[in-house]
């Protein structure tokens, strides 16, 4: 499947989802909530940009939907997919952000990757330190 300019990045992210644990994700969320005042506003803005970008271009919309579906196919095999909707939503947001990374400035969507900072999930970003 073609996910746009970042097809390889999307595939690497999706293939690495089976290694994601609830503890890793919660650790990333804890660090994010603790260290980011105004998180709801910034996270909402990133979601808005993802949705706006998708709605402005039917090709990008199809790429995002295909990436989300592929991510769901991997997630539904995990023990957390049926019990942790916030985690599922975080994955869907992150995979969508990867698809549009070359369209929307990275700084505006980077918040989508923060919940995975302390996981083994492959991301198109590296973190400067790993303390939480």
């Amino acid at each position: 499947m073609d996910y746009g300019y970042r097809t390889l990045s999307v595939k690497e992210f999706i293939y690495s989802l089976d290694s994601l644990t609830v503890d890793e994700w919660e650790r990333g969320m804890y660090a994010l909530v603790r260290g980011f005042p105004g998180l709801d506003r910034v996270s909402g803005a990133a979601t808005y940009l993802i949705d706006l970008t998708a709605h402005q271009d039917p090709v990008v919309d199809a790429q995002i939907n295909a990436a989300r579906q592929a991510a769901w196919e991997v997630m539904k095999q995990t023990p957390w997919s049926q019990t942790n909707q916030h985690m599922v939503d975080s994955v869907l947001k992150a995979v969508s952000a990867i698809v549009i990374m070359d369209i929307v400035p990275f700084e505006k969507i980077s918040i989508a990757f923060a919940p995975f900072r302390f996981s083994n999930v492959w991301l198109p970003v590296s973190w400067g330190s790993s303390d939480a």
Side-chain angles (χ1 to χ4, degrees):
M1 181 64 193
D2 175 30
Y3 304 115
Y5 297 116
R6 295 284 180 153
T7 295
L8 183 58
S9 296
V10 168
K11 287 179 179 181
E12 294 222 20
F13 176 78
I14 290 170
Y15 294 148
S16 68
L17 287 174
D18 62 350
S19 71
L20 182 62
T21 68
V22 173
D23 290 341
E24 291 169 341
W25 180 81
E26 286 179 345
R27 185 174 176 215
M29 286 302 295
Y30 174 75
L32 183 60
V33 169
R34 184 185 73 184
F36 205 111
L39 175 63
D40 288 341
R41 181 181 50 78
V42 174
S43 182
T47 300
Y48 173 76
L49 283 171
I50 290 167
D51 293 344
L52 180 64
T53 304
H55 294 308
Q56 288 179 340
D57 186 337
V59 172
V60 173
D61 188 35
Q63 291 167 339
I64 288 172
N65 287 331
R68 287 177 178 173
Q69 182 61 40
W72 174 246
E73 292 301 319
V74 171
M75 280 191 290
K76 72 182 183 181
Q77 305 302 318
T78 66
W80 48 264
S81 66
Q82 300 301 318
T83 59
N84 195 327
Q85 187 60 45
H86 293 296
M87 204 167 161
V88 169
D89 292 343
S90 289
V91 167
L92 296 177
K93 186 175 189 173
V95 78
S96 301
I98 295 170
V99 171
I100 66 166
M101 277 181 69
D102 292 326
I103 301 168
V104 174
F106 176 74
E107 300 79 27
K108 296 183 183 264
I109 56 172
S110 62
I111 195 77
F113 306 119
F116 308 99
R117 180 177 181 178
F118 302 108
S119 74
N120 289 324
V121 171
W122 185 91
L123 292 172
V125 63
S126 61
W127 306 103
S129 90
S130 60
D131 58 326

